[in-house]
Amino acid sequence: MRPLTDHIPKPLLPVAGKPLIAWQIEKLVRAGFADIVINVSRLGAKIEAALGDGAQYGARIAYSRESEALETAGGIALALPLLGEGPFLVVNGDVFSDFDFARLEVMAARLTRREILAHLVLVDNPPHHPAGDYCLNRGMVATEGGERLTFSGIGFYHPELFAPIVPGTRYRLAALLRGPMAEARVSGEHHRGLWVDVGTPERLAGLERMLAGPQQRHGRHGQ
């Protein structure tokens, strides 16, 4: 995303009049997830300055500060003291989707009972990632055996999943999930709606056109 992200963290890149992350925060609050923890590292002070305590969005935001990026699972493990003892939702800060986060509440009971340690939202493989990440078979996620899909960056987890990680160390989520997947303790679902991994300036521009388009059409009709 450089040079766009040389001075602006990716979650703050503007999309149709507001930061990318603001779209997600507003959706989370509407779905009942008002207590939000944001992992920050490089340029993190700019995220904190822009979002504050979250009151402007009806949220309560806390920040988990990383002196260096700790990868997907390492960052979550560091934030555990802020997340509490129950299941929690994680959403990557650089994705946009129309997935209904409220749907995940139905998985809370299974996570609380520790029948599963994670529930992943998977999507069709995008052109830039044709091989996918995981297989989905009868509601369970595995490394092989079934339809191969891409992890959306949206997941619901039990804190126990992150117990093997020493706080402050780098750890990838994919590596952490292999054991629970082999034990059939990772469930999943296939989201067939809108999902964009905002990983290039071209995808950012495409999302801008998609979100601004209906507003522009409405404006023309009003003239």
Side-chain angles (χ1 to χ4, degrees):
M1 290 293 285
R2 300 183 68 179
L4 294 179
T5 54
D6 282 345
H7 305 289
I8 301 175
K10 193 190 301 185
L12 289 186
L13 290 174
V15 182
K18 69 179 77 171
L20 174 62
I21 195 172
W23 290 91
Q24 291 196 23
I25 292 171
E26 291 172 352
K27 285 192 61 188
L28 286 165
V29 171
R30 288 197 297 270
F33 295 94
D35 290 297
I36 297 173
V37 176
I38 299 178
N39 285 16
V40 293
S41 54
R42 177 182 173 272
L43 300 179
K46 293 191 174 185
I47 294 178
E48 295 189 42
L51 304 180
D53 62 3
Q56 61 183 313
Y57 303 106
R60 293 173 294 273
I61 297 178
Y63 296 92
S64 178
R65 300 176 182 91
E66 304 172 16
S67 58
E68 62 175 346
L70 298 177
E71 296 286 0
T72 43
I76 296 171
L78 184 68
L80 284 180
L82 298 172
L83 292 168
E85 298 180 357
F88 54 85
L89 169 64
V90 175
V91 185
N92 285 2
D94 57 356
V95 300
F96 182 95
S97 82
D98 61 0
F99 180 78
D100 181 6
F101 296 129
R103 286 174 49 88
L104 296 176
E105 284 288 3
V106 301
M107 304 307 302
R110 294 191 66 195
L111 285 161
T112 299
R113 294 193 299 266
R114 303 184 189 183
E115 296 174 13
I116 56 173
L117 293 179
H119 180 81
L120 309 183
V121 177
L122 307 178
V123 296
D124 292 332
N125 300 327
H128 62 274
H129 190 58
D133 297 307
Y134 305 116
C135 296
L136 184 62
N137 188 3
R138 297 182 180 181
M140 301 306 293
V141 180
T143 55
E144 57 185 23
E147 182 181 12
R148 195 159 185 86
L149 299 167
T150 290
F151 176 45
S152 68
I154 302 170
F156 209 13
Y157 306 103
H158 191 284
E160 182 184 314
L161 174 67
F162 302 90
I165 303 176
V166 176
T169 59
R170 296 166 61 91
Y171 212 105
R172 295 182 63 84
L173 183 63
L176 187 65
L177 287 170
R178 289 193 193 106
M181 282 183 185
E183 299 170 355
R185 298 185 74 190
V186 179
S187 63
E189 60 185 279
H190 184 181
H191 174 59
R192 293 175 170 83
L194 173 65
W195 178 81
V196 180
D197 171 13
V198 188
T200 66
E202 292 75 20
R203 285 182 234 151
L204 177 65
L207 180 60
E208 172 77 28
R209 290 192 297 270
M210 185 186 309
L211 295 178
Q215 299 171 19
Q216 294 171 350
R217 287 194 295 271
H218 178 76
R220 287 197 296 269
H221 291 328
Q223 294 175 351

